[in-house]
């Protein structure tokens, strides 16, 4: 798969969870308090990361079942309970609800606001979230965290979860542009692979120094360690 030139790009979509939103910073404090009270001696950060992997797996299963999409907030709660069962951590429904809501402190990565604002100030790009999150949650995140984007596009609107092609196709339709005029930005190689497979350009934010892997040997159209470097490259394009 050939790389797509970035100069013609006129819209940028950003993944939220793990790309703009720091999941460990958002949930570790609440998890730490709860798990310590349960006598858990493992790494709290690892539990948050395992939960993320679990709800990614479940959302992919959900897309394959051929039934209406299960809301993301339900997927997150069910998979957290499943993970606690696996770890032999006693819990109830109220514990799960509190960990996901009142004990969470949604936190953006430090490079988000400054560098998305830089990109927005260019006046060149439509900027949107493109997330597996439910639309209501995304709108709340944009307003509550002050994320400098113009709109939120949810997998909910497509009826599937990323990396299903329908999600990216819906985003392209919403933006009213050819796929190669849209750049999707994510810290997950699987998300970039999904976007590129539907004709979008893809920028891989390699926050954790994890090599980008696609079985066909192709690479992301752009790979940078953070949003500052993304803004630098697009400003120079």
């Amino acid at each position: 798969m050939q790389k797509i030139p970035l100069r013609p790009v006129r819209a940028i979509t950003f993944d939220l969870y793990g790309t703009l939103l720091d999941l460990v910073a958002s949930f570790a404090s609440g998890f730490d308090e709860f798990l310590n009270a349960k006598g858990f001696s493992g790494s709290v950060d690892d539990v948050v990361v395992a939960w993320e992997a679990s709800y990614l797996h479940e959302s992919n299963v959900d897309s394959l079942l051929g039934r209406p999409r299960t809301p993301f907030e339900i997927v997150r709660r069910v998979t957290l309970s499943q993970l606690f069962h696996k770890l032999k951590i006693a819990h109830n429904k109220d514990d799960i609800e509190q960990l996901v809501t009142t004990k969470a402190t949604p936190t953006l990565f430090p490079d988000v606001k400054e560098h998305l604002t830089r990109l927005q100030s260019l006046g060149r790009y439509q900027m949107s979230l493109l997330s597996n999150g439910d639309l209501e949650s995304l709108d709340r995140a944009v307003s509550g965290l002050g994320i400098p984007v113009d709109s939120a596009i949810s997998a909910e609107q497509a009826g599937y979860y990323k990396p299903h092609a329908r999600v990216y196709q819906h985003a392209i339709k919403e933006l009213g542009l050819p796929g190669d005029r849209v750049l999707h930005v994510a810290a997950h190689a699987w998300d970039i692979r999904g976007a590129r497979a539907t004709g979008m350009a893809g920028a891989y934010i390699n926050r954790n120094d994890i090599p980008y892997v696609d079985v066909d040997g192709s690479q992301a159209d752009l790979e940078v360690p953070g949003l500052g470097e993304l803004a630098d490259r697009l400003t120079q394009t």
Side-chain angles (χ1 to χ4, degrees):
M1 187 182 298
Q2 292 185 339
K3 288 191 175 184
I4 296 174
L6 299 182
R7 184 177 295 276
V9 165
R10 289 297 174 265
I12 307 174
T13 58
F14 296 89
D15 172 63
L16 178 61
Y17 298 99
T19 299
L20 304 185
L21 190 71
D22 185 335
L23 295 171
V24 171
S26 297
F27 292 101
S29 178
F31 276 45
D32 185 60
E33 178 185 354
F34 175 76
L35 294 173
N36 279 340
K38 298 293 182 178
F40 179 75
S41 60
S43 166
V44 173
D45 290 6
D46 287 349
V47 173
V48 176
V49 171
W51 176 39
E52 180 188 17
S54 180
Y55 64 66
L56 170 62
H57 172 80
E58 182 59 31
S59 65
N60 275 274
V61 171
D62 196 79
S63 288
L64 292 170
L65 291 178
R67 67 188 188 191
R69 172 186 175 277
T70 304
F72 186 59
E73 290 305 320
I74 292 177
V75 171
R76 292 211 297 168
R77 286 158 173 77
V78 168
T79 53
L80 183 56
S81 179
Q82 290 174 331
L83 177 61
F84 284 170
H85 280 299
K86 183 178 180 179
L87 296 174
K88 309 299 183 187
I89 296 168
H91 65 282
N92 58 39
K93 187 176 180 179
D94 288 341
D95 294 329
I96 297 297
E97 189 64 27
Q98 289 175 15
L99 287 169
V100 175
T101 56
T102 58
K103 291 189 176 182
T105 53
T107 304
L108 298 174
F109 283 103
D111 59 356
V112 171
K113 288 189 178 181
E114 175 186 355
H115 298 299
L116 266 64
T117 299
R118 283 176 59 197
L119 289 170
Q120 197 174 54
S121 70
L122 296 174
R124 187 189 307 169
Y125 304 113
Q126 297 182 59
M127 292 174 50
S128 306
L129 296 185
L130 176 55
S131 172
N132 275 338
D134 302 327
L135 189 58
E136 182 180 349
S137 298
L138 300 185
D139 287 339
R140 189 164 56 245
V142 170
S143 60
L145 297 174
I147 304 173
V149 294
D150 304 307
S151 63
I153 302 171
S154 169
E156 177 184 6
Q157 297 165 297
Y160 296 88
Y161 282 102
K162 295 186 296 179
H164 196 286
R166 292 282 184 87
V167 180
Y168 306 100
Q169 290 164 352
H170 173 77
I172 291 168
K173 183 179 179 181
E174 283 279 304
L175 294 167
L177 292 166
D180 61 2
R181 298 293 183 93
V182 182
L183 175 67
H184 184 54
V185 178
H188 317 289
W190 59 263
D191 197 359
I192 299 303
R193 292 172 65 188
R196 297 191 77 237
T198 55
M200 296 169 72
Y204 176 47
I205 306 301
N206 191 355
R207 292 191 181 279
N208 299 308
D209 196 27
I210 300 173
Y212 183 92
V213 175
D214 195 326
V215 292
D216 70 359
S218 63
Q219 295 296 309
D221 299 294
L222 178 63
E223 180 174 335
V224 289
L227 294 172
E229 292 82 0
L230 173 73
D232 289 343
R233 291 288 297 274
L234 293 179
T235 299
Q236 297 163 10
T237 298

